[in-house]
Amino acid sequence: MADDARRDSRGTIGSYTAVGDSFTEGVGDPGPGGGFVGWADRLALLLAERHAAAAPAGDFRYANLAVRGRLLDRIVAEQVPRAVELAPDLVTLAAGGNDILRPGSDPDDVAARFEAAVAELSAAVGTVMICTGFDTRGVPVLGLLRGKIATYNAHIRAVADRYGCPVLDLWSLRSVQDRRAWNEDRLHLSAQGHTRVALRAAQVLGLEPPTDPDEPWPPQSQRLPSEVRRENIHWAREHLVPWIGRRLRGQSSGDQVQPKRPDLLPLR
C-alpha cells in the first residue's frame, strides 16, 4: 500500500456516492442490460459486505452520478451539488482527466477548480476520497501528456493534504501498467483493470480486499512486432481517429447519457 494511503477512522461506511466521468461510470467493464459495472460499483459491493457484517440491520446505500465524457466544470455544476444533497458517508471524486487531455489545458487551472469542488464536498460529506491520474508511460499518444498528468497529480496530492482526503493513487498502481488492464480502446480500463482499482480503493479505506490489487498478472507469450503494428493500426482507425473527431466537433460520448444510479438506494 502506498505510504500516503489513509485508513478510514470514522467507523463503518453506510452510504457511498461516486462522482466523475467514464472512469467512474465504469466504461470498459460491461454489465447486464448493456450498461457498465466499473470500479466504483465493485468498491460499493466490498463496502456493503463490510457494512452488513458490522450493522446487519441497516441497508448500505449507493449512488453513482458519473457520466462518460464529462469535463470538470460540468461535473462540478451537475454532480457535486447532488452529492452534497445526498450527504453520504463517503464520496469518491475522480475528475479533470478529460480536461487535461484537451490541447492547451492548464493543469494548474484545472487543479484550482478541482480544489473548489473538494472544498464544497468536504464541508458536507464524511469522507472525500480523490483519485490521481494514471501513468501513461508507454501508451501511444497519451504518453506525450505524461508530464502534464504528473503535474496535475502533484496538485491533487496537495489538495488531499489540505483537506485530509484519502488518495486513490492510480499512478503508483503497477498492475494497471499491463495492457490486459485496459479495454481495446486504450482509454478505459477493462473489467480486470476496474477490479484492480476497486481492490486498491478498498485498501485505502482500510478494508482487507480478497486479493492484492498489485498481484502479478499470469505470464503470457511475447507478441511479434508485426502483431503490435497491426494492433496499433486497428486501434488508431477504430478508436483514436473517432475520439479526435469528437474533440474537434466539440462532441462528447456522454451528451445523451444520464447517471446510472442517481439516488442513494440500498445495495444488497
Side-chain angles (χ1 to χ4, degrees), residues 14-26:
S15 55
Y16 164 37
T17 297
V19 173
D21 51 30
S22 59
F23 167 60
T24 301
E25 185 186 349

Side-chain angles (χ1 to χ4, degrees), residues 25-136:
E25 185 186 349
V27 175
D29 185 1
F36 296 103
V37 183
W39 72 272
D41 287 17
R42 295 177 182 278
L43 173 62
L45 288 171
L46 294 172
L47 292 170
E49 290 176 1
R50 183 173 77 165
H51 184 264
D59 287 326
F60 177 85
R61 297 176 300 140
Y62 171 54
N64 190 318
L65 310 178
V67 176
R68 68 199 75 166
R70 287 292 190 262
L71 295 172
L72 177 59
D73 286 347
R74 196 164 175 186
I75 291 173
V76 172
E78 298 173 351
Q79 299 179 33
V80 169
R82 178 59 176 159
V84 169
E85 180 183 7
L86 294 173
D89 296 333
L90 170 69
V91 166
T92 57
L93 175 63
N98 288 325
D99 298 73
I100 296 298
L101 296 179
R102 298 286 172 121
S105 63
D106 180 358
D108 299 341
D109 173 66
V110 177
R113 290 182 279 127
F114 180 89
E115 180 167 1
V118 172
E120 183 176 354
L121 287 167
S122 296
V125 174
T127 299
V128 181
M129 181 165 71
I130 58 181
C131 308
T132 72
F134 293 97
D135 186 352
T136 57

